[in-house]
Amino acid sequence: MSLNYSDNEMMAISAGRFIKDGDIVFAGTGVSMLAATAAKRIYAPKAVVFFETGGIDPSLDEIPMAVSDLRVMSGTCLNSGLIEAFSIVGHRKLHTIAFLGAAQIDKYGNLNTTSIGNYFRPKTRFSGSGGACDVASFASGVITFMQHEKRRFVEKLDYLTSVGWYKGGDSRRKLGLVRGGALAVVTNLGVMGFDEKTKEMYLDQYYPGVSIKTIQENTGFDIDVSRAKEAIPPTEEELMILRNEVDPQRLICKA
Amino acid sequence: MAKNAEISDKLMTLEAAVKKFIKNGSQISLGGFTIVRNPMALTYEIIRQGIKDLHIVCHSHGQALDVLIGAGCVKRLEIAYGGSGRYAPTCIRFKKAIQQGQIEFEDYSNYQMSLRFLAGALNIPFIPTKSGLGSDLLNYEGFSKEVRKERKVASKKFDMIQNPFTEEKDDVVLLPALNPDVTILHVQYVGEDGTIRIKGLTFADIEQAKSADYVIVTCEEIVPRSFIRLDPDQNSLPPFFVDAIVKVPYGAHPTGCYGFYDYDPKHLNMYRVIAEDDEKFKKYLDEWVYDIKTHEDYLNKVGAEMLIKLKANPILGYAVGLDRR
């Protein structure tokens, strides 16, 4: 039986599958919240979801619409503030995985959430770093959600807001960032990984019904597809939990 | 002793608080975060008084920031994030102002801005971090050399040093402290003794308050001294950090206030659409700011039906089942 599911649902489940028990998961807004909540409900009940605003392990009976949402303060083990939250992201004893989104990404997983065009007089201005630059600097790994389009997967970012593997190889470590880096990129077409040595992006999984060619055509740089395999579609159980427990009001699932 | 005698010199109206502490060109730090606990009633009063050339310093801000920019009150901005969550991933008037070159701006990250407030609170001139290494936050200075000479503007955006405690190569970023003229906050409780209690997340409100020359607080409730001192572990700021107190129930609307009311999805959705159009935005300001004579007028305009819908479950802190589409 084939199931119907939306891009956001496939993305949330693909990302959620990366989370393991014991991980401390940093969630942003949108699909990333869906993924973080799904991960805890489905794959890693002992993972802890927390927010840069300072809410730690909220009950998340309703999906938050912002990282400051009252729902990230409800049923938590602790409510704190921004400085406390960032002391968790970079804590040497914790394995922290951050979910981020971006307007542009390059082949080393560096992200732009600031602007397109000239920085001082941009064609399009976005929100800016928020906590993204900080978690990209400090977390054990970053999973980024992207719409898979040529104009978003670019050779050169208009502005580098958050550092991934920087210029590839060991350049991130040489900057003085002692851990972390881009772990995966989850798009509406598939999941990308990063080569262990070169730190260049490669195609890891393509979603059922999506061709490798489509992904190549929608990527603005050459991407290695030699390791690509078809992704496992969401199971009925995964979708049920996602729709009925994680996002019962279908605020994000629907899109 | 008369009721509220301990804070009688601090209790005032919105009008008086803004008149006394906020001037053209003031550097203002905004409390709250994106769509929660924005000091909206104070923001509207700042706009009504026609205050200009504000220098806003904040981490992640949404509604209050966007309305202030749209109303033409802001000249200069140091910011990490201008957005209202899912309701406006990038704030509309903020976006327009930067794209059209109407404001001077400088980008930092949330942690960097929080640290800068902390440094200001500690009265140290700068603070080190490893955040931002390799990023364009450390490649672009937003402010010009002329702006750098102005009051309360750091002489440079940041500096880099080698960690002085090791022989090994170890780059560290130094960020300048912030000491805003005024921090404006909306909180749940103020005690009759002036003690501040913030419920839910405090964001960087405490650091922001301690870093400022003056602090204006609006609150949902003024509660008895005996209540606020019964469980002092819950309190956020001692009385002596606060210069003005205004009781304004629903003073954060359309943003939320944990334990009291949720953010107003209908208003935020309406705002996003209206803010795109200069004429419509002007009308919005007339309707929701300039033509409002009292805070009661404002609440009447929101309407009893909506206020009841937004009312938070006192145990969970938010409005359960609220239609948030």
Side-chain angles (χ1 to χ4, degrees):
Chain A
M1 190 187 77
S2 87
L3 296 163
N4 284 323
Y5 48 86
S6 70
D7 285 350
N8 278 356
E9 287 171 337
M10 183 72 217
M11 289 168 78
I13 283 164
S14 297
R17 288 170 178 165
F18 280 94
I19 303 303
K20 296 179 183 62
D21 267 339
D23 282 351
I24 311 290
V25 184
F26 173 101
T29 47
V31 187
S32 117
M33 259 182 219
L34 207 59
T37 320
K40 191 169 162 65
R41 299 282 170 106
I42 305 172
Y43 317 102
K46 287 179 188 159
V48 173
V49 178
F50 88 109
F51 295 86
E52 64 176 289
T53 44
I56 304 168
D57 202 19
S59 55
L60 296 178
D61 296 322
E62 291 187 5
I63 202 125
M65 297 290 265
V67 297
S68 64
D69 198 304
L70 308 180
R71 288 151 192 81
V72 314
M73 316 177 190
S74 189
T76 57
C77 68
L78 186 78
N79 281 335
S80 60
L82 268 64
I83 289 177
E84 291 89 338
F86 286 111
S87 77
I88 293 172
V89 177
H91 202 283
R92 65 196 182 283
K93 285 163 63 181
L94 304 174
H95 191 254
T96 52
I97 300 293
F99 286 134
L100 297 175
Q104 283 183 329
I105 188 166
D106 69 13
K107 65 178 166 185
Y108 297 116
N110 301 304
L111 308 176
N112 174 12
T113 53
T114 302
S115 54
I116 301 288
N118 180 304
Y119 170 69
F120 301 96
R121 195 71 187 272
K123 189 167 156 278
T124 310
R125 171 69 203 205
F126 301 109
S127 55
S129 161
C133 171
D134 308 307
V135 298
S137 299
F138 298 142
S140 313
V142 169
I143 297 172
T144 304
F145 293 101
M146 295 291 301
Q147 286 300 310
H148 211 133
E149 297 167 21
K150 212 165 192 162
R151 63 186 181 119
R152 295 179 183 274
F153 282 68
V154 295
E155 199 71 55
K156 192 180 179 336
L157 302 176
D158 287 41
Y159 185 98
L160 198 170
T161 316
S162 306
V163 173
W165 294 113
Y166 195 45
K167 291 174 180 168
D170 62 353
S171 61
R172 177 185 167 93
R173 297 290 175 266
K174 281 188 174 158
L175 280 174
L177 299 172
V178 295
R179 70 174 191 183
L183 195 61
V185 183
V186 176
T187 79
N188 52 318
L189 300 178
V191 178
M192 324 301 127
F194 291 87
D195 184 81
E196 213 167 299
K197 274 223 167 70
T198 66
K199 305 300 183 192
E200 278 188 37
M201 194 187 291
Y202 68 89
L203 178 62
D204 180 38
Q205 306 167 37
Y206 49 93
Y207 296 152
V210 174
S211 74
I212 292 178
K213 194 164 167 272
T214 304
I215 292 177
Q216 285 173 311
E217 281 169 3
N218 284 287
T219 306
F221 46 82
D222 283 335
I223 184 162
D224 171 20
V225 297
S226 64
R227 287 168 265 187
K229 51 190 179 293
E230 189 175 271
I232 303 163
T235 65
E236 207 176 334
E237 192 201 354
E238 284 172 326
L239 284 175
M240 273 233 321
I241 295 175
L242 199 60
R243 289 171 186 170
N244 300 340
E245 293 181 28
V246 176
D247 185 13
Q249 297 168 300
R250 302 285 175 94
L251 295 170
I252 298 168
C253 269
K254 228 178 162 184
Chain B
M1 193 165 70
K3 198 163 174 270
N4 299 336
E6 280 180 90
I7 50 170
S8 59
D9 57 330
K10 295 182 188 177
L11 275 176
M12 56 185 87
T13 62
L14 288 168
E15 192 186 353
V18 172
K19 270 211 175 96
K20 187 165 178 189
F21 295 106
I22 299 180
K23 315 266 178 275
N24 289 341
S26 288
Q27 188 180 82
I28 306 288
S29 121
L30 302 174
F33 197 105
T34 59
I35 53 170
V36 167
R37 277 197 307 95
N38 285 206
M40 294 309 302
L42 272 169
T43 295
Y44 298 143
E45 182 58 27
I46 290 170
I47 296 170
R48 276 191 293 266
Q49 290 192 21
I51 310 269
K52 298 285 175 220
D53 299 332
L54 291 177
H55 178 169
I56 301 289
V57 287
C58 57
H59 38 77
S60 285
H61 230 278
Q63 197 63 15
L65 171 76
D66 207 52
V67 183
L68 281 171
I69 291 176
C73 302
V74 181
K75 181 180 186 188
R76 192 171 294 147
L77 180 60
E78 294 179 53
I79 189 170
Y81 186 93
S84 293
R86 297 285 282 176
Y87 297 99
T90 305
C91 282
I92 310 298
R93 303 306 303 192
F94 158 78
K95 175 165 84 176
K96 277 179 181 282
I98 290 187
Q99 289 175 184
Q100 293 166 8
Q102 292 165 347
I103 50 174
E104 299 159 0
F105 64 97
E106 189 75 281
D107 275 286
Y108 287 93
S109 70
N110 274 349
Y111 185 47
Q112 289 172 345
M113 286 305 286
S114 304
L115 287 174
R116 296 181 67 201
F117 288 119
L118 175 65
L122 295 172
N123 203 20
I124 52 177
F126 56 83
I127 192 159
T129 179
K130 302 279 278 188
S131 185
L133 290 168
S135 78
D136 279 342
L137 290 174
L138 305 183
N139 283 328
Y140 290 98
E141 290 240 355
F143 290 161
S144 66
K145 281 196 179 96
E146 290 69 47
V147 172
R148 292 267 166 228
K149 289 177 199 150
E150 294 207 19
R151 188 179 154 270
K152 298 239 178 197
V153 180
S155 65
K156 46 181 144 176
K157 185 180 182 185
F158 68 96
D159 206 346
M160 297 266 278
I161 55 159
Q162 156 69 25
N163 175 355
F165 300 100
T166 179
E167 298 290 308
E168 284 167 39
K169 183 181 181 293
D170 187 17
D171 287 332
V172 180
V173 182
L174 301 180
L175 301 167
L178 278 168
N179 285 111
D181 291 309
V182 189
T183 286
I184 60 175
L185 302 178
H186 183 77
V187 308
Q188 284 87 350
Y189 299 110
V190 176
E192 277 175 357
D193 64 345
T195 300
I196 304 299
R197 179 176 294 180
I198 297 171
K199 298 295 291 176
L201 298 174
T202 51
F203 309 122
D205 284 7
I206 296 168
E207 291 82 6
Q208 285 173 247
K210 288 177 178 169
S211 70
D213 294 342
Y214 297 102
V215 177
I216 307 176
V217 170
T218 56
C219 66
E220 293 295 323
E221 286 288 357
I222 293 177
V223 295
R225 188 183 216 276
S226 58
F227 172 82
I228 208 102
R229 295 207 171 211
L230 187 65
D231 192 5
D233 299 4
Q234 297 275 326
N235 296 340
S236 313
L237 279 167
F240 46 76
F241 279 114
V242 179
D243 301 280
I245 299 164
V246 192
K247 183 182 167 182
V248 191
Y250 285 98
H253 178 274
T255 72
C257 185
Y258 184 78
F260 281 81
Y261 47 91
D262 226 310
Y263 47 84
D264 185 338
K266 208 174 142 202
H267 194 108
L268 294 172
N269 280 326
M270 167 192 73
Y271 179 87
R272 181 187 59 241
V273 175
I274 279 174
E276 288 284 0
D277 182 301
D278 290 353
E279 278 309 305
K280 284 183 187 157
F281 182 75
K282 218 172 141 260
K283 274 187 201 147
Y284 173 90
L285 283 183
D286 282 340
E287 202 180 315
W288 289 92
V289 184
Y290 293 115
D291 295 347
I292 299 285
K293 298 285 173 258
T294 66
H295 188 61
E296 286 70 26
D297 282 350
Y298 180 88
L299 295 182
N300 281 333
K301 196 164 164 52
V302 178
E305 191 184 334
M306 183 50 79
L307 293 177
I308 289 165
K309 278 185 185 158
L310 298 178
K311 186 179 180 297
N313 175 308
I315 311 301
L316 296 170
Y318 58 89
V320 177
L322 175 69
D323 183 0
R324 293 182 291 138
R325 283 168 298 177

